[in-house]
Amino acid sequence: MQEKNQDSVVAASVPFKLNNLQLVIIFECLPETDGTVFRIHTKGEGPMNVDIPLELVFHLPASYPSCVPCISVHSEHLTRTQCAAVKETLLQQAEDLLSEPMVHRLVLWMQQNLRHILSQTEAGSSSGKCAFSTSTTVDDGLWMTLLHLDHMRAKTKYVKTVEKWASDLRLTGRLMFMGKIILILLQGDRHNIKEYLILQKSSKVDVDSSGKKCKEKMISVLFETKAQTEHKRFLAFEVKEYSALDELQKEFETAGLKKLFTEFVLGLVK
């Protein structure tokens, strides 16, 4: 255990196992009127039996457990909507545990029920916006498309815009850079992918050679297909850079897209 004192705040890190999963709990003892904060790093079983890393933060006020703690949920492998759904469900569970210690029980409950929470989030979306399946059966609304961009002059702004569009439309996948090759692999509801393409072509997302804002005119759709059982369900939209072609190829192979890589991506290298 490591402890430190800073501005009357005491923090400690405690590793241990819960339900056969390794956890690290970081707790902070705040001034008496503010209570205590537990920051817990753990994992829950998500779709297709994949362990999803999570950070759960419980702020226990001085009146705890007579009141529900403040809870926040963070994960690089979930969308904001999915994190919000986990948080809301934990708060509902906490309401049923008032007047008794509940952090341990809430963490254990989340580990056991994360898959069901995400499944309900997907089912409750009016347009099928959640972009992964909870079984080996392919969702009717789950599609994949691969886009090729010729260049990005205002790269930083362009990347942030793409990330925002993907988040707003509940799309997952990859923005991939390898040398001069720029690819966007999207996965999600087909209608949302079409909405993304409209934004991509109609918005002034880049700048021209003179530095003026301009629309994307050099984008091509390499392929669009309904997701198959062998295709990986992406849990988030990530920006990745590859130093060599074999790294990019491995990304496609891991996603079950080896054939599509051979047919559509290799030709861009030549």
Side-chain angles (χ1 to χ4, degrees):
M1 177 186 299
Q2 295 181 345
E3 300 185 359
K4 60 181 179 180
N5 290 303
Q6 185 176 0
D7 298 329
S8 300
V9 175
V10 179
S13 174
V14 182
F16 73 104
K17 285 188 176 182
L18 173 64
N19 196 29
N20 294 323
L21 288 177
Q22 187 73 33
L23 281 76
V24 175
I25 293 183
I26 301 173
F27 62 88
E28 302 170 9
C29 297
L30 303 175
E32 184 177 353
T33 55
D34 294 329
T36 305
V37 173
F38 284 84
R39 192 180 308 274
I40 301 176
H41 297 273
T42 183
K43 294 180 180 179
E45 185 177 304
M48 303 181 71
N49 299 319
V50 176
D51 285 341
I52 299 177
L54 292 165
E55 181 187 76
L56 307 177
V57 180
F58 297 87
H59 182 183
L60 313 183
S63 57
Y64 171 86
S66 297
C67 64
V68 172
C70 294
I71 301 174
S72 61
V73 179
H74 307 278
S75 176
E76 295 181 355
H77 301 273
L78 299 179
T79 65
R80 293 179 182 177
T81 299
Q82 291 163 346
C83 287
V86 175
K87 171 184 174 179
E88 181 179 353
T89 309
L90 284 173
L91 287 172
Q92 291 173 355
Q93 291 295 313
E95 290 282 357
D96 296 331
L97 299 173
L98 284 176
S99 300
E100 45 184 297
M102 64 182 76
V103 173
H104 174 274
R105 294 177 63 177
L106 289 174
V107 173
L108 184 60
W109 185 89
M110 184 283 304
Q111 289 178 338
Q112 297 171 339
N113 292 275
L114 180 60
R115 181 194 303 184
H116 303 297
I117 298 171
L118 299 179
S119 177
Q120 291 172 2
T121 303
E122 179 180 7
S125 177
S126 59
S127 58
K129 293 179 180 178
C130 213
F132 58 82
S133 172
T134 56
S135 68
T136 56
T137 302
V138 178
D139 295 334
D140 291 338
L142 189 62
W143 281 72
M144 301 178 68
T145 190
L146 181 66
L147 311 176
H148 174 238
L149 300 180
D150 183 75
H151 60 268
M152 282 187 184
R153 288 192 175 94
K155 183 177 178 180
T156 300
K157 178 184 176 183
Y158 205 135
V159 169
K160 289 182 178 180
T161 301
V162 170
E163 289 180 309
K164 184 179 186 304
W165 288 342
S167 175
D168 291 345
L169 293 169
R170 307 297 186 264
L171 299 174
T172 60
R174 299 286 187 269
L175 170 53
M176 300 174 279
F177 296 91
M178 201 285 293
K180 295 183 179 181
I181 297 177
I182 307 172
L183 301 170
I184 302 177
L185 179 63
L186 298 173
Q187 188 179 80
D189 182 84
R190 192 179 189 185
H191 173 75
N192 291 353
I193 291 178
K194 291 182 181 295
E195 288 291 325
Y196 176 92
L197 287 173
I198 292 174
L199 288 170
Q200 182 82 64
K201 295 178 180 179
S202 63
S203 303
K204 292 185 177 181
V205 67
D206 204 0
V207 296
D208 60 20
S209 56
S210 62
K212 294 182 180 180
K213 294 181 180 180
C214 65
K215 297 178 182 179
E216 178 58 71
K217 297 180 180 179
M218 302 184 71
I219 183 174
S220 57
V221 179
L222 298 183
F223 72 81
E224 181 182 17
T225 181
K226 188 174 182 179
Q228 304 300 314
T229 53
E230 67 270 17
H231 295 157
K232 172 184 176 181
R233 282 8 173 212
F234 294 105
L235 298 177
F237 185 84
E238 299 179 20
V239 180
K240 304 187 75 171
E241 299 205 19
Y242 308 87
S243 58
L245 183 62
D246 58 344
E247 293 180 8
L248 182 62
Q249 181 175 352
K250 185 177 180 180
E251 181 78 65
F252 277 80
E253 291 178 349
T254 302
L257 299 171
K258 181 179 180 179
K259 182 178 179 181
L260 294 176
F261 176 85
T262 302
E263 293 180 3
F264 297 99
V265 180
L266 278 182
L268 300 175
V269 183
K270 299 176 182 179

